[in-house]
Amino acid sequence: MLSQPLIGAGYLIRGLKLLTAHGVKRFVAIPLLINVLVFSLLFWVLAGQFGALIDAWLPTLPDWLAWLYWLLWLVFGLAAALVLFFSFTIVANLIAAPFNGLLAEAVECHLGGEAPPSGESLAGAIKNAPAAIMDELRKLGYYVVWAIPLLILFWIPVANLFAPFLWALFSAWMLAVEYTDYPMGNHGLKAAEQRRRLRSVRFTSLGFGGLTLVATMTPILNFLVMPTAVAGASLFWSERLKQA
C-alpha cells in the first residue's frame, strides 16, 4: 500500500517526458498557452489580494496565544494558496477541455494502446467544444458540492485548524478526477464509473493528484502542469484504470 502513492506520483513525472514524444508534442501548445495565461492572471491576483484573504480566515486569538499567530499565518497562507491555485486550475481546464482530450488521445496512440473511438481532429475538437465544456461544468458541480462545506470549516473555531489539511486531501482527489476524465471520457466512461475506478486504486489516485497539486503550486512547473498531468493521466489509464 505504501508504494501505491509513489506509483501514482510517478505517472506525472513520466507524463512530463511524453510531452516531446513524436505525435504528441504538436497537441501540447494550446493547453500550455492557456495554462500560462491563466496562471499569469493568478499571480497578479495573489500580488494584490493574498494577504487580505489570509487575514479574513485567521481565527481570533486571545493575548496569551499571540505567539501562535505566525504559525497560523503560515498554515492559513498555505490553505489560501491551495484554494486559489486549485480554483484557477479548474478555470484553465474549463477553457482547455477540448484540446486536453486531443492530447490524451495522442498520448494513448503513442503508447500503442487501443485508440479512443473519438478520433477527433483539431477542427473536430473546436466543433465539439460546447460538449467538452459541459462535461467540465459537471465536474465543477461535483467540486462545488464538496468544496462549500470544506470552505465553511475555515470559519469554524477549532475545526478551522484542520481545514487546510482536509482541503489539501480534497484537492489531490479532485485533480485526479479532473485529469483522468480526459482519457476515460475519450472511451465513453461516465463520471460515476470514472470515480469508481479511481476509488478502486485510491492511494495511487491520491499519489497522482497529490504530486499534481504540488506541481501546480511550484513556480515554473505550474506553467507545464496541465499538459503534463493530461499525459500522466493517460498513462495512468493505460496501465491501471483500464483494468480497474
Side-chain angles (χ1 to χ4, degrees):
M1 186 177 74
L2 292 175
S3 66
Q4 291 177 13
L6 294 177
I7 293 171
Y11 286 123
L12 185 71
I13 297 170
R14 293 166 62 195
L16 179 61
K17 298 176 182 178
L18 279 170
L19 296 187
T20 56
H22 178 70
V24 173
K25 57 186 177 183
R26 63 194 177 99
F27 294 100
V28 172
I30 295 178
L32 182 61
L33 177 61
I34 291 171
N35 211 45
V36 168
L37 292 174
V38 170
F39 274 92
S40 296
L41 175 63
L42 170 60
F43 288 129
W44 179 77
V45 171
L46 286 176
Q49 303 297 326
F50 190 64
L53 179 61
I54 300 173
D55 290 338
W57 279 358
L58 274 176
T60 302
L61 296 174
D63 291 341
W64 62 278
L65 284 178
W67 60 275
L68 273 176
Y69 178 82
W70 289 108
L71 177 60
L72 287 177
W73 203 97
L74 289 173
V75 171
F76 280 81
L78 175 62
L82 283 169
V83 172
L84 285 170
F85 275 90
F86 182 73
S87 299
F88 274 76
T89 298
I90 295 293
V91 172
N93 280 280
L94 179 64
I95 299 169
F99 311 104
N100 285 340
L102 278 178
L103 176 57
E105 184 175 324
V107 170
E108 194 171 347
C109 289
H110 171 76
L111 295 173
E114 178 188 356
S118 57
E120 287 183 356
S121 62
L122 180 59
I126 295 173
K127 180 180 177 181
N128 293 324
I133 291 173
M134 284 302 299
D135 187 50
E136 288 297 313
L137 290 175
R138 282 190 286 270
K139 282 188 284 186
L140 184 60
Y142 174 76
Y143 158 69
V144 169
V145 166
W146 290 97
I148 289 176
L150 284 173
L151 288 173
I152 291 172
L153 289 179
F154 282 99
W155 279 274
I156 300 176
V158 182
N160 56 13
L161 298 176
F162 301 97
F165 306 102
L166 292 174
W167 185 270
L169 189 63
F170 167 69
S171 298
W173 170 253
M174 277 305 307
L175 286 173
V177 169
E178 174 68 34
Y179 286 110
T180 57
D181 172 58
Y182 298 115
M184 288 197 279
N186 282 344
H187 286 274
L189 272 66
K190 301 302 182 183
E193 173 62 14
Q194 291 176 19
R195 293 195 290 269
R196 185 195 69 78
R197 293 193 182 212
L198 287 170
R199 285 193 297 268
S200 72
V201 286
R202 189 186 310 272
F203 292 104
T204 306
S205 302
L206 289 174
F208 172 73
L211 187 58
T212 303
L213 179 62
V214 171
T216 298
M217 299 177 64
T218 304
I220 307 302
L221 284 180
N222 49 25
F223 291 125
L224 295 169
V225 73
M226 182 196 291
T228 300
V230 173
S234 302
L235 273 168
F236 189 8
W237 156 257
S238 296
E239 296 183 4
R240 284 294 179 93
L241 296 172
K242 187 184 291 187
Q243 294 81 27

